Each structure stands twice: as structure tokens, then as C-alpha cells.
Amino acid sequence: MLTHKIAEATTFIQEHSGSFCPTVGIILGTGLGALVDEIDIAQVIPYEAIPHFATSTVEFHKGKLILGTLSGQKVVCMQGRFHYYEGYTMQQVTFPVRVMKALGVETLFVSNAAGGLNPQFKVSDLMIIEDHISLFMTENPLTGTHEPSLGDRFPDMCDPYNLELIGKAQATARQLGIAVQKGVYVHVPGPQLETRAEYRILRQLGADAVGMSTVPEIMVAHQMGIQCFGLSVITDMGIPEILEKASLEKIIAAATKAEPAMTALIKALVGNL
Ligand code: HPA
């Protein structure tokens, strides 16, 4: 049963961290890799050591859970996240978030790379996620046997991204002189990028950015009553009329350019909870 697996993973982490009790969770997606350097680390646990954590792809042999203190808050960070396109089930993708809740997490910060759909955006912009579209998911992390201790059967998605945190992020960005956009993120399963026709329809549906992560974790976190904040870095523009061939180098360069601003913003927000 899912609750048993969560309990086993949680007990293991508590036993290996001196019962460290984090209240803030961070998924270090694209753009937030450098935030690790800001953490006063108490414990690092490789994913493969944790019961029921998925590990099988090459990339995830370096996946680690990092427990420590950031801006005066006790945090648990995922260095390396699971994506659906890697072949994991949505249950596996979101399992660490369920464990975070069991460890004591009340607030979750998530970052990602996304394609820009809003023509006013440009590459390397930061976008505060104000809402999302999950309709294109081919599998849903909330389906299956309902376990009431994990949240509602029909969880509301009225405000999955905490409005107070969005307001604080805008104010903090202003103080730090960081320009931020705000918009709707649409989740696609990937791994291929979109065709021109697909970018066009996603924009027509009301999305400002498109990507392959974050929404599963946010849905699960919100179901469990965790307050969430999401930040995208726009790594390429999905404007049909001027679409260019995707280049991994360009995407990484765009994310790297935005990394200092992203790191500063999340660090300040964590300190101001
Ligand atoms: N589409 C989907 N996912 C992405 C993109 C994109 O254009 N850019 C970065 N992640």
C-alpha cells in the first residue's frame, strides 16, 4: 500500500538524518542547481538507498536527497527529479513529494525549464507559475485507490499555487531588481518538443509556457495541503511563425543565464516564509 511505502521511506530518512524535521521542500529543477551551494548541509542521502524511491535511469544514479538549512529554514531538497518521459509511472514521479509531506514539509518550491508561448516573453525570462493545465497528461498521479490520509478523493485545484507566495515573490523580485513574468504552465508528457501546430493550440488554450514536469508534483502536494510555489525559466520560444530548431546547447545556455536570479529569488523567499 502507498501509505506503507511512504512510512518506510520516511522512517529510513529520519533514521539517517538524526530525525531532522524539514518544513520546506525544494525540487531543484532546471535553473536551481546552484542553490545547493547556499545550503548548510546536514545530510545527503542517495536515492538508491531510500526504500521505494525510483532510481533506474543513468541520470538518477546521481539523484540525492539533501537535508539542511537554507536562509534559516530547515529544508529537504531533491537534487534530480523524476520525469514521466523517462519511463517512470506518475506514482514514482510524485512519491518523493508524499515523503516530503510525511517528513513535515508545509511549503514546496519547484523550478523547471519551459518553452515560451506568450509572445511577450523572451528566452531566459523567469515566469512565476500562477496556474497550470494538466489536461494533456496521459497518466495521472491522483488516480488509483483512494487513501484518505493523503488527501481528498476529488482534490480542489482552485489555487494550487499559493497566492500569498506569488505576491511575496513579485515583491521580492522587485526589491532584488529581478524581472519576472507570471503565467499559466501547461504540462505535456514529452519527450519530444511540440510541433508548430501544437504550440499554436497550447497558446490558444491559454497557456504562457509549456514543459514536461512540475504539474504532477504540484497536484500531489496540493492534494496533501502543502502550499506550493513554481518558477519556470523560459529556455526557448514556441512561437509557430518563427520556430527554430531546438538545440540542447541553447536551452542549457538560456537556463544557465537565468540561474543566479532564480537562485537569489528562491533563497530570499525561503527566508521570508
Ligand atoms: N516544450 C516542452 N518542454 C520544454 C520546452 C518546450 O518547448 N522547453 C523546455 N522544456
Side-chain angles (χ1 to χ4, degrees):
M1 226 165 85
L2 182 57
T3 44
H4 292 160
K5 290 183 179 172
I6 296 166
E8 279 175 18
T10 306
T11 303
F12 178 90
I13 294 163
Q14 285 169 337
E15 282 172 2
H16 287 77
S17 64
S19 292
F20 191 85
C21 192
T23 56
V24 176
I26 307 176
I27 300 178
L28 300 167
T30 305
L32 276 188
L35 193 64
V36 169
D37 303 331
E38 309 285 334
I39 300 171
D40 183 9
I41 294 177
Q43 191 62 251
V44 178
I45 308 177
Y47 290 162
E48 59 256 39
I50 306 172
H52 312 298
F53 263 53
T55 52
S56 55
T57 69
V58 174
E59 189 191 343
F60 281 97
H61 285 301
K62 42 182 198 351
K64 297 181 197 92
L65 205 64
I66 297 174
L67 298 113
T69 305
L70 174 70
S71 306
Q73 303 277 359
K74 286 189 175 171
V75 300
V76 54
C77 298
M78 286 182 72
Q79 190 178 40
R81 69 136 67 88
F82 304 105
H83 298 92
Y84 181 72
Y85 62 75
E86 293 169 289
Y88 299 111
T89 65
M90 282 296 191
Q91 295 286 350
Q92 290 176 307
V93 168
T94 55
F95 183 74
V97 177
R98 299 221 180 263
V99 174
M100 281 183 175
K101 169 73 179 179
L103 286 169
V105 164
E106 295 164 1
T107 310
L108 179 67
F109 293 89
V110 182
S111 76
N112 62 49
L117 301 171
N118 183 328
Q120 312 221 319
F121 291 2
K122 56 186 191 317
V123 168
S124 288
D125 273 0
L126 299 187
M127 184 191 87
I128 294 171
I129 305 177
E130 67 173 347
D131 205 349
H132 72 220
I133 297 171
S134 71
L135 302 174
F136 300 105
M137 279 183 174
T138 45
E139 192 188 314
N140 184 315
L142 303 178
T143 52
T145 310
H146 179 229
E147 313 224 9
S149 62
L150 300 180
D152 291 343
R153 167 78 290 185
F154 303 106
D156 118 276
M157 286 291 150
C158 168
D159 53 357
Y161 301 86
N162 184 268
L163 295 176
E164 203 183 319
L165 284 175
I166 291 174
K168 274 189 187 177
Q170 288 179 299
T172 307
R174 223 173 294 125
Q175 280 160 15
L176 296 175
I178 295 170
V180 284
Q181 309 279 7
K182 195 169 71 163
V184 174
Y185 176 95
V186 56
H187 176 279
V188 289
Q192 80 285 1
L193 299 188
E194 288 65 41
T195 63
R196 289 171 206 270
E198 288 164 347
Y199 280 123
R200 186 176 296 116
I201 196 159
L202 293 173
R203 179 64 185 152
Q204 284 169 355
L205 290 175
D208 296 289
V210 51
M212 306 173 195
S213 69
T214 301
V215 174
E217 294 101 316
I218 296 290
M219 282 165 60
V220 163
H222 185 66
Q223 183 198 32
M224 296 188 299
I226 296 176
Q227 55 175 10
C228 302
F229 180 80
L231 194 60
S232 296
V233 49
I234 304 299
T235 53
D236 53 282
M237 288 303 295
I239 306 293
E241 295 74 23
I242 53 164
L243 192 64
E244 291 173 9
K245 244 189 191 335
S247 134
L248 191 60
E249 291 73 38
K250 276 199 221 162
I251 287 180
I252 291 170
T256 306
K257 189 174 158 204
E259 193 164 270
M262 224 160 165
T263 305
L265 184 54
I266 298 293
K267 190 181 162 191
L269 273 177
V270 170
N272 188 23
L273 279 174

